[in-house]
Amino acid sequence: MAITVKTADGATHQIEPGTSAVQCLKAAGQMNKRIIAAKINDRAVDLSAPLTEDCSVAPIAMESPEGLEVIRHSSAHLMAQAVKRLFPETQVTIGPVIDNGFYYDFSRKEPFTPEDLERIESTMREIIKADYPVTREEWPRDQAVDFFREQGEHYKVEIINGIPEPNVSLYRQGEFVDLCRGPHVPSTGRIPAVKLTSLAGAYWRGDSRNEMLQRVYGTAWASKSDLEAYLKRIEEAKQRDHRRLGQQLDLFSLHPIAPGSPFFHPKGAVVYNLLVQYMRSLYARYGYTEVVTPLIYKTELWKTSGHYDAFRDDMFLMKLDDDEYGVKPMNCPGHCYLFATRKYSYRDLPVRFADFSRLHRFEPSGTLAGLTRVRSMAQDDAHIYCTPDQMDAELEHFVALTREVYETFGFQRVDVSVQTRPEKFLGRVELWDAAEAALQRVAERTGYPVTVLPGEGAFYGPKIGFDFRDVLERSWTLATVQIDCAMPERFQLEYVTSEGSVATPVMLHRAVLGSLERFIAILLEHTAGHLPLWLAPVHARVLTLTERTESYGREVVELLRQAELRAELDDRNEKLGYKIREAQLQKVPYMVVVGDREAADRMVAPRQSSGGTMDPMSLDTFVKHLKAEAVPGRSI
RNA sequence: GCCCGUGUAGCUCAGUUGGCAGAGCGCCGCACUUGUAAUGCGAAGGUCGUCGGUUCGAUUCCGACCGCGGGCUCCA
């Protein structure tokens, strides 16, 4: 009895049941050497998978997203086989596909060395050359458990014990057998380009109480040239690493005397302060009031807020006299005290307390990284206290502010996530449910794609995160808004309602840029150091041609400064080409050449770092041009 | 905090059978007076991350600690 198979070209074929996907694709003229797997009814399978009933069949080419996934998964097996050959005492655990590649976690007493990586890679090449067929086998669970137990593969035994099905699938290539769902390439020779990239430690099942395994990362592609292109992209990303740019452009530095606590140099501080100034200008329009609050409090404060229990180990604490004090890691509890200093009527709400205070968190040493993970930072932080009726409008108000900021920076690719109640939480469940519903409503109205991340909320309330995707395709959470389900009650905050009774206000936590440090890091990498003109530490560098134009050069700098433009002078005894090169490398947006010709007519000869020379113009015209352009949102 | 790697001049980096430490750029000085991405010459500059061990002798070998990098865990 034949079955009916539909192929991707729309044709139908009558074939014998048990015919393999590859035979069917061949018969349909859809098979070529780029095809490494197939889809049966949209499910990825091996080329050798039998067709047992009416279905549709489509080829998977190696360069397609699904094809790359197959290649990468097979590469993980390839690596595991090589490791077992070279180091038979090693236990294999799991080896999944990740963005651009794969990894495999191994359990072994002796750590792998970088030299081992080279040996593993060369063994992988041998296995590719041997071109072992990769075959799928279905085994009863118990038999598979016995098999892996005999092999000493205790992690595999643990994995199978967690699988409910009566049968499991194993894949065999040469002497190597691994538990795996598949699908895989038909033979090891079909892996076109693979390279091991790094070594790392990783806890078994991602739990720090478990054994530390050794993770080997690799990358795999449909062709050698794709692999090379990927490695080149990685290399280019390194060139725009904010830590590198921070040093090259003299923006900030980190010193062992204060781990994770950046020193902003004069030029970096310009960027930092301009961001603050920009947010302040928006706050004026959006009805925020800025407050200045203490850095150090008695720890009672965080005992009330609940932070002490959850984050005590991550705070800078000190014992003085008979009291314990702490440096604040966040502003919210302080703002609650501020709110409680007077009695608010419903007519006064909402109040929006903005605070650019520095915050200190004793982050674990292993997590510190440049400006993206620090112990000392500031946020464009604010807390909003409002009535329950005002909550939706306040959330919308925040979204509008966020949208305006993103437009100014030209951030277009944004996703929204709704993060719900975690296992450990404070406050009443009914408050949480209402808050999550409100966030869901607002998230959907933003027009950005929305995903829900269950259990990812803060311990005191659910949140929305706005994730921005940068030019390097990395996703960063910038803005967040959280509804607090715990603190208003714990701090016994109140306002007087229209009926004259007292009620608990709703409290929102929110930031648009997030940490200023991290925002600067992201902006630097996104723009490769070419900050928009309004944020550039130096708008223009005046380059004198000879000693004869020094005094005119000084005059030009002075005039630019009087116009509140950031200008500096390069009057060194060097050739123009040299000065240009240096200003270009410093990514100064405008260079202003002043030679005898310009000095004679009180002109300047500007040059843009982005686009070469401009026609000479009067000093006045140049100032006007710069003033008009150095405005948030005008230049991106 | 855990795993691996790493730490030499302001910056980028050389420096293995363990024997007084090197280059380029920059800084400083001198000459040149320069027209859109590197002018030439000269001089200065280093407790080789810190502490301890092995050794006649340690930048080099070993250990601990600190910092940094790549990951893991965490991220109010």
Side-chain angles (χ1 to χ4, degrees):
Chain A
M1 177 77 183
I3 57 172
T4 305
V5 175
K6 198 170 163 188
T7 47
D9 53 9
T12 55
H13 308 261
Q14 299 294 316
I15 60 168
E16 287 302 311
T19 307
S20 70
V22 63
Q23 285 170 318
C24 178
L25 288 170
K26 264 184 195 156
Q30 294 193 344
M31 197 55 210
N32 64 51
K33 60 183 194 305
R34 309 295 300 168
I35 307 302
I36 51 165
K39 270 192 285 194
I40 299 181
N41 294 337
D42 279 337
R43 194 169 57 86
V45 296
D46 297 319
L47 279 179
S48 59
L51 307 177
T52 52
E53 53 188 30
D54 290 357
C55 60
S56 66
V57 175
I60 293 179
M62 53 173 72
E63 57 276 356
S64 69
E66 292 135 313
L68 283 170
E69 201 164 310
V70 171
I71 286 173
R72 288 167 186 161
H73 201 167
S74 295
S75 296
H77 278 225
L78 172 69
M79 174 168 74
Q81 181 176 15
V83 167
K84 290 291 284 185
R85 260 192 204 179
L86 292 167
F87 313 100
E89 76 287 3
T90 305
Q91 287 190 62
V92 297
T93 68
I94 54 162
V97 172
I98 52 173
D99 281 354
N100 300 321
F102 61 92
Y103 67 77
Y104 214 116
D105 285 347
F106 301 99
S107 168
R108 177 166 179 257
K109 281 204 185 67
E110 291 292 306
F112 290 121
T113 65
E115 293 72 45
D116 291 338
L117 233 57
E118 282 170 32
R119 290 180 61 200
I120 294 167
E121 212 174 290
S122 88
T123 303
M124 286 164 67
R125 280 193 290 274
E126 286 167 23
I127 297 169
I128 289 176
K129 211 167 168 194
D131 199 18
Y132 299 112
V134 179
T135 54
R136 181 190 173 94
E137 299 167 18
E138 295 262 346
W139 287 34
R141 270 174 48 116
D142 294 349
Q143 198 182 326
V145 166
D146 289 346
F147 172 78
F148 283 112
R149 185 172 291 133
E150 269 169 43
Q151 306 271 313
E153 296 283 4
H154 304 296
Y155 285 97
K156 287 290 172 196
V157 171
E158 192 179 327
I159 293 167
I160 298 171
N161 283 333
I163 298 175
E165 281 82 27
N167 285 319
V168 295
S169 58
L170 305 190
Y171 277 80
R172 185 185 296 274
Q173 53 193 64
E175 78 286 4
F176 179 71
V177 180
D178 198 358
L179 173 76
C180 188
R181 203 178 283 131
H184 280 286
V185 295
S187 66
T188 56
R190 301 297 300 277
I191 295 174
V194 58
K195 183 176 166 55
L196 302 186
T197 51
S198 63
L199 274 169
Y203 298 109
W204 168 238
R205 300 222 144 129
D207 190 325
S208 57
R209 289 168 300 193
N210 289 341
E211 187 201 349
M212 175 70 72
L213 305 171
Q214 294 184 62
R215 178 170 296 180
V216 181
Y217 283 93
T219 185
W221 296 85
S223 69
K224 292 262 188 303
S225 59
D226 285 356
L227 171 64
E228 272 157 33
Y230 169 73
L231 295 174
K232 202 173 157 212
R233 279 209 304 283
I234 298 290
E235 218 33 61
E236 279 166 6
K238 276 189 196 155
Q239 299 297 314
R240 56 204 298 161
D241 186 303
H242 76 277
R243 288 164 294 201
R244 185 187 168 95
L245 288 166
Q247 187 184 57
Q248 281 172 354
L249 307 183
D250 196 18
L251 300 174
F252 63 88
S253 59
L254 287 149
H255 196 280
I257 202 66
S261 304
F263 287 71
F264 280 93
H265 299 196
K267 285 179 179 167
V270 168
V271 180
Y272 181 106
N273 286 323
L274 285 166
L275 289 171
V276 171
Q277 188 182 315
Y278 169 62
M279 290 312 298
R280 279 199 179 113
S281 72
L282 294 177
Y283 287 166
R285 274 201 281 124
Y286 280 82
Y288 285 75
T289 48
E290 188 173 340
V291 297
V292 177
T293 53
L295 283 179
I296 295 172
Y297 301 79
K298 292 188 181 178
T299 51
E300 233 178 282
L301 182 73
W302 299 293
K303 287 175 186 162
T304 305
S305 70
H307 288 95
Y308 194 79
D309 281 341
F311 295 106
R312 178 180 15 192
D313 292 344
D314 306 315
M315 288 175 64
F316 287 94
L317 295 174
M318 58 197 116
K319 213 73 184 213
L320 296 167
D321 286 341
D322 292 330
D323 289 310
E324 188 184 34
Y325 291 81
V327 183
K328 71 173 164 188
M330 85 296 295
N331 291 312
C332 32
H335 289 180
C336 287
Y337 264 82
L338 183 57
F339 184 85
T341 54
R342 60 163 273 198
K343 194 147 197 165
Y344 283 94
S345 140
Y346 73 98
R347 295 175 191 277
D348 301 319
L349 301 184
V351 297
R352 308 185 184 98
F353 291 149
D355 199 329
F356 293 100
S357 217
R358 295 213 64 76
L359 306 174
H360 293 81
R361 300 178 177 184
F362 191 67
E363 301 284 1
S365 59
T367 64
L368 301 177
L371 292 185
T372 53
R373 190 71 185 269
V374 292
R375 286 180 174 161
S376 167
M377 51 122 161
Q379 298 172 318
D380 61 326
D381 198 13
H383 295 95
I384 298 168
Y385 299 89
C386 64
T387 69
D389 287 350
Q390 292 168 331
M391 185 171 71
D392 277 34
E394 281 306 304
L395 292 170
E396 296 282 3
H397 187 250
F398 169 73
V399 171
L401 170 61
T402 300
R403 197 183 293 279
E404 176 167 352
V405 171
Y406 285 6
E407 277 168 14
T408 300
F409 285 101
F411 295 166
Q412 282 166 3
R413 296 186 300 166
V414 176
D415 294 319
V416 173
S417 59
V418 177
Q419 303 171 33
T420 61
R421 194 174 70 233
E423 280 180 32
K424 284 190 178 174
F425 68 97
L426 297 180
R428 302 201 308 272
V429 172
E430 56 269 31
L431 286 181
W432 277 86
D433 290 344
E436 285 174 8
L439 290 179
Q440 186 70 41
R441 282 196 297 277
V442 173
E444 276 160 15
R445 279 204 294 269
T446 60
Y448 297 124
V450 177
T451 52
V452 177
L453 303 174
E456 294 291 312
F459 71 86
Y460 50 73
K463 60 182 171 186
I464 295 184
F466 289 74
D467 296 336
F468 151 65
R469 194 170 281 275
D470 72 10
V471 286
L472 299 175
E473 297 296 328
R474 295 170 308 182
S475 190
W476 303 94
T477 297
L478 299 177
T480 62
V481 56
Q482 309 169 5
I483 300 176
D484 199 312
C485 299
M487 268 188 247
E489 288 183 7
R490 291 171 76 95
F491 282 97
Q492 300 180 332
L493 302 183
E494 302 176 343
Y495 69 97
V496 180
T497 67
S498 55
E499 282 92 45
S501 59
V502 293
T504 306
V506 171
M507 177 179 180
L508 306 179
H509 306 240
R510 40 105 295 158
V512 182
L513 306 179
S515 123
L516 295 174
E517 282 72 11
R518 208 177 63 117
F519 190 81
I520 290 170
I522 293 164
L523 203 55
L524 282 173
E525 299 193 357
H526 183 61
T527 62
H530 298 281
L531 293 170
L533 189 66
W534 70 278
L535 280 175
V538 177
H539 287 134
R541 184 182 286 184
V542 175
L543 313 180
T544 56
L545 202 59
T546 68
E547 284 172 359
R548 290 192 301 279
T549 53
E550 259 182 49
S551 68
Y552 179 58
R554 274 197 294 275
E555 208 184 320
V556 171
V557 167
E558 190 53 33
L559 276 161
L560 291 169
R561 287 181 178 168
Q562 290 309 314
E564 296 181 352
L565 290 164
R566 298 184 288 275
E568 61 186 22
L569 182 66
D570 185 352
D571 61 354
R572 288 175 303 172
N573 182 10
E574 295 290 351
K575 295 196 168 191
L576 182 61
Y578 180 89
K579 295 185 182 184
I580 299 233
R581 175 182 158 81
E582 193 147 296
Q584 199 78 39
L585 291 173
Q586 286 293 306
K587 306 185 198 297
V588 176
Y590 282 94
M591 286 153 261
V592 180
V593 177
V594 293
D596 292 330
R597 294 202 296 264
E598 287 74 24
D601 302 331
R602 300 192 62 75
M603 305 274 281
V604 290
R607 174 194 163 100
Q608 283 178 298
S609 67
S610 56
T613 57
M614 297 164 72
D615 289 335
M617 59 180 76
S618 75
L619 197 42
D620 192 43
T621 309
F622 180 63
V623 168
K624 283 196 178 116
H625 174 83
L626 239 61
K627 288 292 281 183
E629 198 188 340
V631 170
R634 276 299 304 278
S635 54
I636 292 166

